[in-house]
Amino acid sequence: MAYLQDGKPIRLGDFARMAAKGEKIASLTCYDSSFAALLDRSGVELFLVGDSMGNVLQGHGSTLPVTLEQVEYHTASVLRGTKRAMVMADLPFGSYQESREQAFRSAARLMAAGAHMVKIEGGAWLAETVRFLVERGIPVCAHIGLTPQSVNTLGGYRVQGARPEGAARLEADAKALEEAGAALCVIEMVPAALGAAITAACPRMPTIGIGAGPDCAGQILVLHDMIGVYPGRTARFTKDFLAGAGSIDAAIAAYVVAVKEGRFPAPEHCY
């Protein structure tokens, strides 16, 4: 980790080197400057300004009401508290599905607000959009498995890829997105064995798991779930690190260590 201890900002190349060495990437969602500063000093390497703000900040039942303007605002806020971590921002529902050009316009706004990369939900159908963005200087993190923006077509918040045909489709999605130039890929709510298979099949695209087992290149949780303050129902893959930690700082530090040491996610957090 010498290259992460010199005080310089983390870049995409650092994640590739970490994945190659087997060092886990620790990531959390973040929505404001105060928490950004706290997460930064606690060793979190990748922040996601997530459309999960629709649930944990705004009180909605899904991420669908979140707007591009809201993500833009929170991205700028997070950047002001960040010195070292890499900041990626979600492209919210309706901001990229229409066309590659729409996706570029939306992503350009988030990059201008301070994001270092954008995250986009969807499978192989988005490969050309990913390629279009990357060719124009916008780093992209893909997101497959359970994609919350598609919750209505998926029939709810259910494990994805549990059957062979579904697993094969998700692995094909990941390969197509890697080939298109996605630099990272969030894999959400899939069997642990599938998370491991996709990670092995896509060596040029480090995977960030959330309910995808311990073999992904890194892990991410929603901050409010990780410190046990979200009042809604939480998923099996979450853990309250604040319980018994004594402070939020200690809880975040404990999360980072647990990810780095491969102790999180444990079997009880996997499918």
PDB file of all heavy atoms in Angstrom, residues 88-113:
ATOM      1  N   MET A  88     -16.854   8.631  -7.415  1.00  0.00           N
ATOM      2  CA  MET A  88     -17.671   8.328  -8.586  1.00  0.00           C
ATOM      3  C   MET A  88     -19.123   8.676  -8.275  1.00  0.00           C
ATOM      4  O   MET A  88     -19.552   8.657  -7.120  1.00  0.00           O
ATOM      5  CB  MET A  88     -17.530   6.873  -9.030  1.00  0.00           C
ATOM      6  CG  MET A  88     -18.078   5.816  -8.126  1.00  0.00           C
ATOM      7  SD  MET A  88     -17.865   4.183  -8.907  1.00  0.00           S
ATOM      8  CE  MET A  88     -18.455   3.102  -7.599  1.00  0.00           C
ATOM      9  N   ALA A  89     -19.846   9.024  -9.326  1.00  0.00           N
ATOM     10  CA  ALA A  89     -21.215   9.489  -9.162  1.00  0.00           C
ATOM     11  C   ALA A  89     -22.157   8.664 -10.026  1.00  0.00           C
ATOM     12  O   ALA A  89     -21.826   8.305 -11.152  1.00  0.00           O
ATOM     13  CB  ALA A  89     -21.317  10.965  -9.535  1.00  0.00           C
ATOM     14  N   ASP A  90     -23.322   8.386  -9.486  1.00  0.00           N
ATOM     15  CA  ASP A  90     -24.340   7.630 -10.216  1.00  0.00           C
ATOM     16  C   ASP A  90     -24.989   8.476 -11.308  1.00  0.00           C
ATOM     17  O   ASP A  90     -25.330   9.643 -11.078  1.00  0.00           O
ATOM     18  CB  ASP A  90     -25.445   7.176  -9.254  1.00  0.00           C
ATOM     19  CG  ASP A  90     -25.292   5.734  -8.825  1.00  0.00           C
ATOM     20  OD1 ASP A  90     -24.750   4.927  -9.598  1.00  0.00           O
ATOM     21  OD2 ASP A  90     -25.738   5.409  -7.706  1.00  0.00           O
ATOM     22  N   LEU A  91     -25.190   7.866 -12.462  1.00  0.00           N
ATOM     23  CA  LEU A  91     -26.100   8.423 -13.448  1.00  0.00           C
ATOM     24  C   LEU A  91     -27.498   7.949 -13.060  1.00  0.00           C
ATOM     25  O   LEU A  91     -27.784   6.748 -13.102  1.00  0.00           O
ATOM     26  CB  LEU A  91     -25.744   7.944 -14.852  1.00  0.00           C
ATOM     27  CG  LEU A  91     -24.513   8.604 -15.480  1.00  0.00           C
ATOM     28  CD1 LEU A  91     -24.106   7.880 -16.758  1.00  0.00           C
ATOM     29  CD2 LEU A  91     -24.777  10.076 -15.764  1.00  0.00           C
ATOM     30  N   PRO A  92     -28.386   8.858 -12.646  1.00  0.00           N
ATOM     31  CA  PRO A  92     -29.691   8.429 -12.137  1.00  0.00           C
ATOM     32  C   PRO A  92     -30.640   8.015 -13.255  1.00  0.00           C
ATOM     33  O   PRO A  92     -30.388   8.238 -14.444  1.00  0.00           O
ATOM     34  CB  PRO A  92     -30.205   9.663 -11.402  1.00  0.00           C
ATOM     35  CG  PRO A  92     -29.556  10.810 -12.095  1.00  0.00           C
ATOM     36  CD  PRO A  92     -28.204  10.315 -12.519  1.00  0.00           C
ATOM     37  N   PHE A  93     -31.736   7.422 -12.848  1.00  0.00           N
ATOM     38  CA  PHE A  93     -32.748   6.935 -13.781  1.00  0.00           C
ATOM     39  C   PHE A  93     -33.209   8.051 -14.714  1.00  0.00           C
ATOM     40  O   PHE A  93     -33.534   9.155 -14.292  1.00  0.00           O
ATOM     41  CB  PHE A  93     -33.942   6.386 -12.999  1.00  0.00           C
ATOM     42  CG  PHE A  93     -35.041   5.834 -13.866  1.00  0.00           C
ATOM     43  CD1 PHE A  93     -34.874   4.650 -14.554  1.00  0.00           C
ATOM     44  CD2 PHE A  93     -36.249   6.517 -13.997  1.00  0.00           C
ATOM     45  CE1 PHE A  93     -35.883   4.135 -15.356  1.00  0.00           C
ATOM     46  CE2 PHE A  93     -37.264   6.017 -14.789  1.00  0.00           C
ATOM     47  CZ  PHE A  93     -37.083   4.823 -15.479  1.00  0.00           C
ATOM     48  N   GLY A  94     -33.242   7.744 -16.008  1.00  0.00           N
ATOM     49  CA  GLY A  94     -33.710   8.707 -16.992  1.00  0.00           C
ATOM     50  C   GLY A  94     -32.648   9.636 -17.528  1.00  0.00           C
ATOM     51  O   GLY A  94     -32.942  10.468 -18.391  1.00  0.00           O
ATOM     52  N   SER A  95     -31.411   9.500 -17.055  1.00  0.00           N
ATOM     53  CA  SER A  95     -30.358  10.437 -17.479  1.00  0.00           C
ATOM     54  C   SER A  95     -29.427   9.852 -18.538  1.00  0.00           C
ATOM     55  O   SER A  95     -28.533  10.552 -19.016  1.00  0.00           O
ATOM     56  CB  SER A  95     -29.525  10.884 -16.270  1.00  0.00           C
ATOM     57  OG  SER A  95     -28.738   9.822 -15.775  1.00  0.00           O
ATOM     58  N   TYR A  96     -29.633   8.569 -18.920  1.00  0.00           N
ATOM     59  CA  TYR A  96     -28.722   7.947 -19.886  1.00  0.00           C
ATOM     60  C   TYR A  96     -29.385   6.925 -20.802  1.00  0.00           C
ATOM     61  O   TYR A  96     -28.820   6.535 -21.830  1.00  0.00           O
ATOM     62  CB  TYR A  96     -27.569   7.258 -19.147  1.00  0.00           C
ATOM     63  CG  TYR A  96     -28.000   6.134 -18.233  1.00  0.00           C
ATOM     64  CD1 TYR A  96     -28.079   4.817 -18.671  1.00  0.00           C
ATOM     65  CD2 TYR A  96     -28.326   6.389 -16.903  1.00  0.00           C
ATOM     66  CE1 TYR A  96     -28.484   3.787 -17.822  1.00  0.00           C
ATOM     67  CE2 TYR A  96     -28.724   5.377 -16.054  1.00  0.00           C
ATOM     68  CZ  TYR A  96     -28.800   4.079 -16.509  1.00  0.00           C
ATOM     69  OH  TYR A  96     -29.207   3.073 -15.672  1.00  0.00           O
ATOM     70  N   GLN A  97     -30.578   6.478 -20.487  1.00  0.00           N
ATOM     71  CA  GLN A  97     -31.184   5.383 -21.235  1.00  0.00           C
ATOM     72  C   GLN A  97     -31.603   5.774 -22.660  1.00  0.00           C
ATOM     73  O   GLN A  97     -31.691   4.920 -23.542  1.00  0.00           O
ATOM     74  CB  GLN A  97     -32.407   4.830 -20.487  1.00  0.00           C
ATOM     75  CG  GLN A  97     -32.070   4.083 -19.209  1.00  0.00           C
ATOM     76  CD  GLN A  97     -32.085   4.973 -17.974  1.00  0.00           C
ATOM     77  OE1 GLN A  97     -31.972   6.195 -18.082  1.00  0.00           O
ATOM     78  NE2 GLN A  97     -32.217   4.371 -16.795  1.00  0.00           N
ATOM     79  N   GLU A  98     -31.863   7.045 -22.892  1.00  0.00           N
ATOM     80  CA  GLU A  98     -32.399   7.487 -24.177  1.00  0.00           C
ATOM     81  C   GLU A  98     -31.411   7.325 -25.325  1.00  0.00           C
ATOM     82  O   GLU A  98     -31.769   6.885 -26.422  1.00  0.00           O
ATOM     83  CB  GLU A  98     -32.829   8.952 -24.072  1.00  0.00           C
ATOM     84  CG  GLU A  98     -33.452   9.515 -25.327  1.00  0.00           C
ATOM     85  CD  GLU A  98     -33.879  10.960 -25.136  1.00  0.00           C
ATOM     86  OE1 GLU A  98     -34.178  11.364 -23.998  1.00  0.00           O
ATOM     87  OE2 GLU A  98     -33.902  11.692 -26.144  1.00  0.00           O
ATOM     88  N   SER A  99     -30.141   7.679 -25.067  1.00  0.00           N
ATOM     89  CA  SER A  99     -29.144   7.620 -26.132  1.00  0.00           C
ATOM     90  C   SER A  99     -27.745   7.765 -25.546  1.00  0.00           C
ATOM     91  O   SER A  99     -27.571   8.198 -24.396  1.00  0.00           O
ATOM     92  CB  SER A  99     -29.371   8.730 -27.161  1.00  0.00           C
ATOM     93  OG  SER A  99     -29.135  10.009 -26.570  1.00  0.00           O
ATOM     94  N   ARG A 100     -26.747   7.441 -26.358  1.00  0.00           N
ATOM     95  CA  ARG A 100     -25.347   7.647 -25.960  1.00  0.00           C
ATOM     96  C   ARG A 100     -25.085   9.133 -25.724  1.00  0.00           C
ATOM     97  O   ARG A 100     -24.357   9.512 -24.803  1.00  0.00           O
ATOM     98  CB  ARG A 100     -24.401   7.128 -27.040  1.00  0.00           C
ATOM     99  CG  ARG A 100     -24.538   5.642 -27.352  1.00  0.00           C
ATOM    100  CD  ARG A 100     -23.618   5.235 -28.497  1.00  0.00           C
ATOM    101  NE  ARG A 100     -23.869   6.042 -29.700  1.00  0.00           N
ATOM    102  CZ  ARG A 100     -23.144   5.981 -30.804  1.00  0.00           C
ATOM    103  NH1 ARG A 100     -22.109   5.162 -30.871  1.00  0.00           N
ATOM    104  NH2 ARG A 100     -23.440   6.733 -31.847  1.00  0.00           N
ATOM    105  N   GLU A 101     -25.677   9.955 -26.550  1.00  0.00           N
ATOM    106  CA  GLU A 101     -25.463  11.393 -26.433  1.00  0.00           C
ATOM    107  C   GLU A 101     -26.065  11.942 -25.141  1.00  0.00           C
ATOM    108  O   GLU A 101     -25.462  12.802 -24.477  1.00  0.00           O
ATOM    109  CB  GLU A 101     -26.069  12.105 -27.649  1.00  0.00           C
ATOM    110  CG  GLU A 101     -25.330  11.854 -28.951  1.00  0.00           C
ATOM    111  CD  GLU A 101     -25.615  10.486 -29.569  1.00  0.00           C
ATOM    112  OE1 GLU A 101     -26.578   9.801 -29.120  1.00  0.00           O
ATOM    113  OE2 GLU A 101     -24.882  10.086 -30.487  1.00  0.00           O
ATOM    114  N   GLN A 102     -27.253  11.445 -24.779  1.00  0.00           N
ATOM    115  CA  GLN A 102     -27.842  11.858 -23.509  1.00  0.00           C
ATOM    116  C   GLN A 102     -26.947  11.442 -22.351  1.00  0.00           C
ATOM    117  O   GLN A 102     -26.720  12.211 -21.409  1.00  0.00           O
ATOM    118  CB  GLN A 102     -29.234  11.253 -23.329  1.00  0.00           C
ATOM    119  CG  GLN A 102     -29.928  11.720 -22.047  1.00  0.00           C
ATOM    120  CD  GLN A 102     -31.008  10.774 -21.567  1.00  0.00           C
ATOM    121  OE1 GLN A 102     -30.971   9.574 -21.842  1.00  0.00           O
ATOM    122  NE2 GLN A 102     -31.993  11.309 -20.848  1.00  0.00           N
ATOM    123  N   ALA A 103     -26.431  10.223 -22.421  1.00  0.00           N
ATOM    124  CA  ALA A 103     -25.541   9.739 -21.368  1.00  0.00           C
ATOM    125  C   ALA A 103     -24.299  10.614 -21.252  1.00  0.00           C
ATOM    126  O   ALA A 103     -23.854  10.941 -20.141  1.00  0.00           O
ATOM    127  CB  ALA A 103     -25.142   8.296 -21.648  1.00  0.00           C
ATOM    128  N   PHE A 104     -23.749  11.017 -22.394  1.00  0.00           N
ATOM    129  CA  PHE A 104     -22.561  11.876 -22.355  1.00  0.00           C
ATOM    130  C   PHE A 104     -22.876  13.226 -21.732  1.00  0.00           C
ATOM    131  O   PHE A 104     -22.127  13.728 -20.889  1.00  0.00           O
ATOM    132  CB  PHE A 104     -21.980  12.078 -23.756  1.00  0.00           C
ATOM    133  CG  PHE A 104     -20.809  13.018 -23.755  1.00  0.00           C
ATOM    134  CD1 PHE A 104     -19.555  12.581 -23.358  1.00  0.00           C
ATOM    135  CD2 PHE A 104     -20.976  14.354 -24.091  1.00  0.00           C
ATOM    136  CE1 PHE A 104     -18.483  13.450 -23.309  1.00  0.00           C
ATOM    137  CE2 PHE A 104     -19.912  15.235 -24.046  1.00  0.00           C
ATOM    138  CZ  PHE A 104     -18.654  14.784 -23.662  1.00  0.00           C
ATOM    139  N   ARG A 105     -23.985  13.830 -22.126  1.00  0.00           N
ATOM    140  CA  ARG A 105     -24.334  15.132 -21.554  1.00  0.00           C
ATOM    141  C   ARG A 105     -24.502  15.042 -20.037  1.00  0.00           C
ATOM    142  O   ARG A 105     -24.049  15.913 -19.292  1.00  0.00           O
ATOM    143  CB  ARG A 105     -25.613  15.658 -22.211  1.00  0.00           C
ATOM    144  CG  ARG A 105     -25.446  16.110 -23.652  1.00  0.00           C
ATOM    145  CD  ARG A 105     -26.661  16.884 -24.136  1.00  0.00           C
ATOM    146  NE  ARG A 105     -27.877  16.066 -24.137  1.00  0.00           N
ATOM    147  CZ  ARG A 105     -28.280  15.336 -25.170  1.00  0.00           C
ATOM    148  NH1 ARG A 105     -27.554  15.289 -26.281  1.00  0.00           N
ATOM    149  NH2 ARG A 105     -29.414  14.636 -25.106  1.00  0.00           N
ATOM    150  N   SER A 106     -25.171  13.985 -19.584  1.00  0.00           N
ATOM    151  CA  SER A 106     -25.387  13.810 -18.143  1.00  0.00           C
ATOM    152  C   SER A 106     -24.071  13.561 -17.422  1.00  0.00           C
ATOM    153  O   SER A 106     -23.793  14.156 -16.367  1.00  0.00           O
ATOM    154  CB  SER A 106     -26.347  12.642 -17.906  1.00  0.00           C
ATOM    155  OG  SER A 106     -27.604  12.881 -18.499  1.00  0.00           O
ATOM    156  N   ALA A 107     -23.247  12.681 -17.986  1.00  0.00           N
ATOM    157  CA  ALA A 107     -21.967  12.361 -17.359  1.00  0.00           C
ATOM    158  C   ALA A 107     -21.050  13.580 -17.325  1.00  0.00           C
ATOM    159  O   ALA A 107     -20.327  13.799 -16.346  1.00  0.00           O
ATOM    160  CB  ALA A 107     -21.301  11.211 -18.106  1.00  0.00           C
ATOM    161  N   ALA A 108     -21.079  14.373 -18.369  1.00  0.00           N
ATOM    162  CA  ALA A 108     -20.230  15.563 -18.417  1.00  0.00           C
ATOM    163  C   ALA A 108     -20.588  16.529 -17.288  1.00  0.00           C
ATOM    164  O   ALA A 108     -19.712  17.177 -16.692  1.00  0.00           O
ATOM    165  CB  ALA A 108     -20.366  16.246 -19.773  1.00  0.00           C
ATOM    166  N   ARG A 109     -21.866  16.637 -16.970  1.00  0.00           N
ATOM    167  CA  ARG A 109     -22.278  17.502 -15.867  1.00  0.00           C
ATOM    168  C   ARG A 109     -21.736  16.999 -14.536  1.00  0.00           C
ATOM    169  O   ARG A 109     -21.281  17.789 -13.689  1.00  0.00           O
ATOM    170  CB  ARG A 109     -23.798  17.601 -15.813  1.00  0.00           C
ATOM    171  CG  ARG A 109     -24.390  18.452 -16.923  1.00  0.00           C
ATOM    172  CD  ARG A 109     -25.894  18.492 -16.879  1.00  0.00           C
ATOM    173  NE  ARG A 109     -26.407  19.010 -15.616  1.00  0.00           N
ATOM    174  CZ  ARG A 109     -27.696  19.228 -15.365  1.00  0.00           C
ATOM    175  NH1 ARG A 109     -28.595  18.964 -16.311  1.00  0.00           N
ATOM    176  NH2 ARG A 109     -28.090  19.692 -14.199  1.00  0.00           N
ATOM    177  N   LEU A 110     -21.756  15.680 -14.333  1.00  0.00           N
ATOM    178  CA  LEU A 110     -21.244  15.123 -13.076  1.00  0.00           C
ATOM    179  C   LEU A 110     -19.725  15.261 -12.994  1.00  0.00           C
ATOM    180  O   LEU A 110     -19.185  15.527 -11.918  1.00  0.00           O
ATOM    181  CB  LEU A 110     -21.664  13.663 -12.944  1.00  0.00           C
ATOM    182  CG  LEU A 110     -23.177  13.415 -12.859  1.00  0.00           C
ATOM    183  CD1 LEU A 110     -23.468  11.940 -12.686  1.00  0.00           C
ATOM    184  CD2 LEU A 110     -23.800  14.219 -11.718  1.00  0.00           C
ATOM    185  N   MET A 111     -19.054  15.096 -14.115  1.00  0.00           N
ATOM    186  CA  MET A 111     -17.601  15.283 -14.122  1.00  0.00           C
ATOM    187  C   MET A 111     -17.254  16.742 -13.835  1.00  0.00           C
ATOM    188  O   MET A 111     -16.315  17.041 -13.094  1.00  0.00           O
ATOM    189  CB  MET A 111     -17.030  14.849 -15.466  1.00  0.00           C
ATOM    190  CG  MET A 111     -17.225  13.378 -15.798  1.00  0.00           C
ATOM    191  SD  MET A 111     -16.333  12.230 -14.724  1.00  0.00           S
ATOM    192  CE  MET A 111     -14.662  12.439 -15.344  1.00  0.00           C
ATOM    193  N   ALA A 112     -18.020  17.663 -14.398  1.00  0.00           N
ATOM    194  CA  ALA A 112     -17.776  19.083 -14.136  1.00  0.00           C
ATOM    195  C   ALA A 112     -18.023  19.429 -12.674  1.00  0.00           C
ATOM    196  O   ALA A 112     -17.392  20.341 -12.123  1.00  0.00           O
ATOM    197  CB  ALA A 112     -18.662  19.939 -15.035  1.00  0.00           C
ATOM    198  N   ALA A 113     -18.919  18.690 -12.021  1.00  0.00           N
ATOM    199  CA  ALA A 113     -19.195  18.909 -10.594  1.00  0.00           C
ATOM    200  C   ALA A 113     -18.094  18.337  -9.713  1.00  0.00           C
ATOM    201  O   ALA A 113     -18.075  18.621  -8.511  1.00  0.00           O
ATOM    202  CB  ALA A 113     -20.534  18.295 -10.220  1.00  0.00           C
TER     203      ALA A 113
END
